Amino acid sequence: MTAQYDPETILAGLDEETWPTIGFSRGTAADPAGTLRALVTAEKEVVREEALGSFWGALRARVPAYRATVQVVPYLARACAAGIYQETLLELLHSVAHGEDQPRGDQAELTAAVAAQVPLLLPLLAHDDEDVRRRLIRILLLSGRSPETAEAIRARWTAEPDPALRSALLSACRIADPDVAAEISAGELGPGRDPEIRLVAVLNLVRDGAPWTDELEAAATAWALRGSEIEPVEQWFDMDSGDWKDTDPDDESFELLLQLLADRGELPVAVRLLDTVLAAEGPGDGLRGRRAMGAIEPLCAEFRAAPALLAPRLASLVTHQDLVVAGQAVGQLRRLGDEGRPAADALLIHASGERVAAAEDTFDAEDAEEVADNALAALVDLGDPRAVPLLARDLPRRKEALEAAVGISPWSPRDEPSLPFDPRLLDAARDLIRHPDRRNYSAPRHLCTLLASWGPRAAPALPELYSLLAKERQHAPGAVAAVAAGTEAAAEAADRLREAAEGASVHDRMPTAEALHRLTGDTGQLIEALRPGLDDILYSRRAAVGRAGRLGPAGEPLLPRLRELLEPEEGERVGWDLGDCLAAASAVRAIAGESATDELIPVLSRGLESRDARTRASAARLAGRLGASAAPLAERIAPLLESPATFLPAARALTAIPGAVGPEGLIDREELAEALLVAVDSLGRPEPALDLLRDLGGGSLPASAAAPLRASLTAERRPPLRHFDLHRVRTDQRRVAALRAALDGAATPGE
């Protein structure tokens, strides 16, 4: 059904609009009124299409925001209702309401602007074109409470022939009016109804607080048996989990249902439903496995009790015939840390290469190799001793496992090497360095890190490390120094490093000289390597400043140049900025000690005024090192407590300044303690916040802080996710361990 609007009605009020300053936007949308007229009244199709394209580009523009959007939306909605480019305009209105590609601060206003036009668009629920109805329902799902929308859905309910759209309508009805949705849902639970609609009906009733019954369970599990006729759609990226997924992004009812059940204390019911999905047989097994994984991931991420219950289920999914399911299960286990240990035997099946050997063709073998690599990496993460011989055997093909072993994989729980010394792995590493044609990835730098972590026990590999000195100049020198230290080969290693330094560039000479310094204690060569580094291009200067600071008082000859670097470069091009100046200031402080305080205060002052949060945080950290000497900056540090990005360094700096925290200070001690309690739950590493709480308590945790920390420790849900964290589960595991350690011996309330 399409409303009949003449151009005059569609454009009514256009002449009275006062348009904001538009700024940059695409095409003719810089003239909203003219573009709207072209869209509605132009005789030539090409002109109308150009106007539509202009709005499509402008309303979805990333930066700067197209500030006329709210005013344009009513006209576009009228044009859509009148039948002008209905599918495209509905898609565009949904994009505006949903916030796609719009990282700006006015999303609530944009969504409200589209929602206000929904009554005008509701007749399109009866449109003959299924795509028009689908796009309108997507808008209804974002439009909030509306009795008018709920009644329109009730009227359309029995007439809608498409089961998928009926399912979406029922979800939209819950948003528009939960009471109407519950009424419709109660009649859709029976065995004769579409399984997807039954599932959405169950979800609506549970959201409405209905108790769990056998009828609801039967309706929910019916969904598990469908799927034989459903093909996976293209992969989509889930921003919440950080994964590519293969199920329909709009089909979230099952995982939402399980989360709701867990949230109201019925996690065992949720697990029972998962078991039903996993036990179902017949066609569609791969899709059911993917949907099960889609539900397992948020349960493990949100609920502390979930991993222990779900690790055995993940073990069965690791051995799933569908390699996509198996790969997702391996990835989830890597997130669980030690709680994934019950699945170690299942991981071993992949890590051993059994599935690779059984692959029927090259493509399956490649997929199986990828899963095998990640499964072995998971065993490495767990510290399973069975991982070492497998890594030694398959080292040329195990990039992810080696990255996990040296702590550089984004999945790794540690950022340092974790594998114990093993002669077989040493031999494999040496062989791989000697025969680069045998590997399918860039391994030498990782092998340098691994060999360095073993120290002198890796001395047989020195010939191979010497061969890398001219190729891996940033990594091989440090490995040579670590492996040769304290051995009979130390003198030869020093000669090799000196030789390598002579032919190196300014940037590459610095790590070689630093390695020589660690091996021999020779400061002179490192000083002479850092001098030109401090005058070289930007990335060399940054590296040189960091190394100079690590020298401590021995770096005194470098102070004149470091003092010059306390000033930022002038000009339009990005160069030595305030953050770099603060790094230089930190190096000056490390070398000169307290005597440099006066010359560092101006640098800190500029850093605290920076628009960049990382620069302000760096300034606050250095102020904390200065302690009482930073007192003149205390009033400028205090506002940094208001931002999560700068809170902890600012709090540390203020507690280091006498009198800044307390009854007469800039911040009350109790207020700071309350803020630190919030930080414990919101920061990836709670230890610094806990240390500050102890400092406020005179060296022990105050009783007033212990009670809320105990409550946090025993909470069923993990703290809210403030930004994507691949390691959310392990982050919370570390938080729990830190809280338990902090609470040991802490006074209980009332003591």
Side-chain angles (χ1 to χ4, degrees), residues 419-423 425-426 429 449-458 482-483:
L419 278 187
F421 173 75
D422 184 87
L425 189 51
L426 174 63
T449 303
L450 180 65
L451 294 171
S453 72
W454 290 340
R457 289 174 296 179
V483 170

Side-chain angles (χ1 to χ4, degrees), residues 25-195:
S25 61
R26 298 183 185 180
T28 56
D31 171 21
T35 309
L36 284 167
R37 287 193 177 90
L39 177 68
V40 174
T41 64
E43 295 182 2
K44 295 183 178 180
E45 179 76 11
V46 66
V47 176
R48 295 198 300 275
E49 288 182 351
E50 182 179 340
L52 179 63
S54 295
F55 279 127
W56 186 264
L59 270 64
R60 290 169 59 95
R62 295 182 70 85
V63 177
Y66 182 63
R67 293 187 291 275
T69 302
V70 171
Q71 289 171 254
V72 166
V73 162
Y75 300 100
L76 296 181
R78 291 180 211 164
C80 178
I84 299 173
Y85 296 119
Q86 281 182 321
E87 284 189 42
T88 304
L89 285 179
L90 284 171
E91 187 69 23
L92 180 55
L93 290 170
H94 174 267
S95 173
V96 171
H98 188 261
E100 296 173 13
D101 298 329
Q102 296 173 9
R104 52 200 190 186
D106 58 350
Q107 188 53 54
E109 183 182 7
L110 294 173
T111 303
V114 175
Q117 303 305 314
V118 163
L120 185 66
L121 301 172
L122 283 175
L124 297 181
L125 284 176
H127 199 283
D128 292 338
D129 191 327
E130 179 183 301
D131 287 334
V132 170
R133 302 199 303 274
R134 178 179 295 106
R135 283 168 169 76
L136 175 57
I137 293 171
R138 292 178 70 196
I139 292 175
L140 300 184
L141 286 164
L142 300 171
S143 298
R145 291 292 184 96
S146 170
E148 185 176 357
T149 297
E151 290 306 319
I153 292 173
R154 190 205 298 268
R156 177 62 186 171
W157 179 250
T158 55
E160 176 54 59
D162 185 89
L165 291 188
R166 296 189 85 213
S167 173
L169 271 176
L170 193 51
S171 296
C173 190
R174 180 194 57 76
I175 293 171
D177 190 328
D179 292 338
V180 174
E183 178 185 333
I184 297 174
S185 296
E188 298 294 332
L189 298 175
R193 305 296 185 178
D194 180 88

Side-chain angles (χ1 to χ4, degrees), residues 205-274:
L205 290 168
V206 170
R207 282 185 181 275
D208 202 42
W212 192 251
T213 63
D214 291 343
E215 183 184 30
L216 293 182
E217 184 148 344
T221 54
W223 172 86
L225 303 178
R226 85 189 281 260
S228 60
E229 76 284 3
I230 305 296
E231 292 295 329
V233 297
E234 289 186 12
Q235 285 192 333
W236 60 286
F237 190 73
D238 184 351
M239 293 298 293
D240 292 328
S241 71
D243 280 334
W244 287 96
K245 293 189 175 181
D246 295 87
T247 52
D248 189 333
D250 293 325
D251 184 22
E252 300 175 338
S253 301
F254 186 67
E255 59 188 81
L256 287 175
L257 172 62
L258 268 59
Q259 289 180 69
L260 283 171
L261 289 168
D263 204 29
R264 67 183 203 178
E266 296 179 277
L267 181 59
V269 174
V271 174
R272 190 166 70 236
L273 292 177
L274 267 175

Side-chain angles (χ1 to χ4, degrees), residues 376-405:
L376 183 55
L379 289 176
V380 170
D381 291 339
L382 289 172
D384 193 308
R386 296 174 293 181
V388 176
L390 291 175
L391 181 57
R393 186 193 71 185
D394 297 327
L395 188 58
R397 301 187 304 278
R398 295 294 176 259
K399 175 179 182 291
E400 180 62 30
L402 179 57
E403 290 182 353

Side-chain angles (χ1 to χ4, degrees), residues 193-529:
R193 305 296 185 178
D194 180 88
E196 186 75 16
I197 295 174
R198 294 176 74 186
L199 177 61
V200 175
V202 173
L203 176 61
N204 284 348
L205 290 168
V206 170
R207 282 185 181 275
D208 202 42
W212 192 251
T213 63
D214 291 343
E215 183 184 30
L216 293 182
E217 184 148 344
T221 54
W223 172 86
L225 303 178
R226 85 189 281 260
S228 60
E229 76 284 3
I230 305 296
E231 292 295 329
V233 297
E234 289 186 12
Q235 285 192 333
W236 60 286
F237 190 73
D238 184 351
M239 293 298 293
D240 292 328
S241 71
D243 280 334
W244 287 96
K245 293 189 175 181
D246 295 87
T247 52
D248 189 333
D250 293 325
D251 184 22
E252 300 175 338
S253 301
F254 186 67
E255 59 188 81
L256 287 175
L257 172 62
L258 268 59
Q259 289 180 69
L260 283 171
L261 289 168
D263 204 29
R264 67 183 203 178
E266 296 179 277
L267 181 59
V269 174
V271 174
R272 190 166 70 236
L273 292 177
L274 267 175
D275 286 339
T276 301
V277 175
L278 296 174
E281 298 180 351
D285 186 50
L287 181 60
R288 287 192 293 273
R290 298 176 201 195
R291 284 177 165 168
M293 279 304 310
I296 287 173
E297 289 169 356
L299 286 176
C300 288
E302 292 290 338
F303 301 95
R304 285 173 169 164
L309 291 172
L310 294 175
R313 279 82 181 174
L314 284 168
S316 69
L317 288 167
V318 165
T319 58
H320 202 285
Q321 286 303 306
D322 188 318
L323 283 170
V324 172
V325 176
Q328 290 177 344
V330 170
Q332 182 60 34
L333 285 167
R334 295 193 70 182
R335 295 180 182 181
L336 298 188
D338 285 342
E339 290 186 287
R341 198 171 295 281
D345 289 344
L347 289 169
L348 188 65
I349 293 174
H350 278 290
S352 65
E354 287 185 24
R355 293 289 294 272
V356 178
E360 297 181 356
D361 55 44
T362 302
F363 296 108
D364 282 347
E366 290 176 354
D367 291 341
E369 282 278 16
E370 182 178 352
V371 177
D373 192 7
N374 282 281
L376 183 55
L379 289 176
V380 170
D381 291 339
L382 289 172
D384 193 308
R386 296 174 293 181
V388 176
L390 291 175
L391 181 57
R393 186 193 71 185
D394 297 327
L395 188 58
R397 301 187 304 278
R398 295 294 176 259
K399 175 179 182 291
E400 180 62 30
L402 179 57
E403 290 182 353
V406 299
I408 65 167
S409 168
W411 297 83
S412 296
R414 295 166 293 274
D415 56 4
E416 58 187 7
S418 59
L419 278 187
F421 173 75
D422 184 87
R424 293 164 296 182
L425 189 51
L426 174 63
D427 291 340
R430 297 180 66 190
D431 182 73
L432 195 54
I433 294 173
R434 289 195 302 267
H435 300 95
D437 57 307
R438 296 181 183 175
R439 62 177 181 265
N440 60 4
Y441 61 98
S442 179
R445 64 186 59 185
H446 308 328
L447 295 175
C448 287
T449 303
L450 180 65
L451 294 171
S453 72
W454 290 340
R457 289 174 296 179
L462 278 170
E464 286 75 27
L465 289 174
Y466 293 153
S467 73
L468 294 177
L469 284 174
K471 303 172 185 177
E472 295 290 340
R473 295 182 182 271
Q474 294 293 313
H475 302 87
V480 168
V483 170
T487 71
E488 294 180 356
E492 180 186 358
D495 290 339
R496 296 272 191 164
L497 289 171
R498 292 188 186 96
E499 181 182 351
E502 290 177 1
S505 66
V506 170
H507 184 66
D508 290 335
R509 185 183 173 194
M510 291 187 290
T512 306
E514 187 174 42
L516 187 61
H517 171 246
R518 288 201 298 269
L519 182 61
T520 67
D522 182 359
T523 303
Q525 287 214 23
L526 181 53
I527 293 290
E528 292 309 309

Side-chain angles (χ1 to χ4, degrees), residues 413-415 648 679-680 682-690 731 734-735:
R414 295 166 293 274
D415 56 4
L648 266 184
V680 167
S682 62
L683 297 172
R685 295 186 177 274
E687 292 87 351
L690 289 169
T731 297
R734 184 172 59 243
R735 179 184 295 111

